[in-house]
Amino acid sequence: MEPLRVFTQPISDPRAQVAVVALLALAALDVVFGVLNAWFVQHDFSSHEFREGLIRKLSNLGVVIAADIVDGMLLGGLDLGYQPVLMTVTVSLALMELASLMEIYAEMHPEISAAPWYQMLVRSKDGINGEE
């Protein structure tokens, strides 16, 4: 197998492509809704926070690329039949994007902040960040 093909093989899998496209779509929605929320709801758009958010999104993309490389190394010598690292990282980041979208949605609709599902999201995020 060609050396370069080893690293492009994981992303050639249609399942991995769906996961990556879903992640990119969720990240784009997060940026759009974050800007709309900051500009029209909070009336406090900050280009500094926007840049920080974009840098985080780009770093997430970098992690996905690194996961693809690791999966390429695994598939190059050990074919497990799927891309464990790429899929795990991509799905985890997609869930983070979804949680971020829910936070923005709740900021735009304050009545949602009392909903049980939103309280569960806040508690789980606080637990991860050590803010209990």
Side-chain angles (χ1 to χ4, degrees), residues 30-80:
D30 187 40
V31 169
V32 168
F33 282 108
V35 168
L36 290 174
N37 180 47
W39 209 313
F40 295 109
V41 177
Q42 305 296 323
H43 304 290
D44 186 27
F45 181 82
S46 166
S47 59
H48 175 72
E49 288 182 27
F50 181 72
R51 277 192 308 274
E52 283 183 351
L54 285 180
I55 289 169
R56 281 194 300 274
K57 302 294 181 214
L58 289 174
S59 69
N60 288 348
L61 184 58
V63 169
V64 169
I65 291 169
D68 182 63
I69 292 170
V70 170
D71 274 341
M73 291 187 309
L74 288 173
L75 291 173
L78 174 65
D79 189 358
L80 301 174

Side-chain angles (χ1 to χ4, degrees), residues 9 15 23 48 50-51 53 67 74 87 91 112 114 121 123 127:
Q9 182 181 358
R15 294 172 295 189
L23 171 62
H48 175 72
F50 181 72
R51 277 192 308 274
L74 288 173
M87 294 300 284
V91 169
I112 289 177
L121 174 70
R123 281 192 306 273

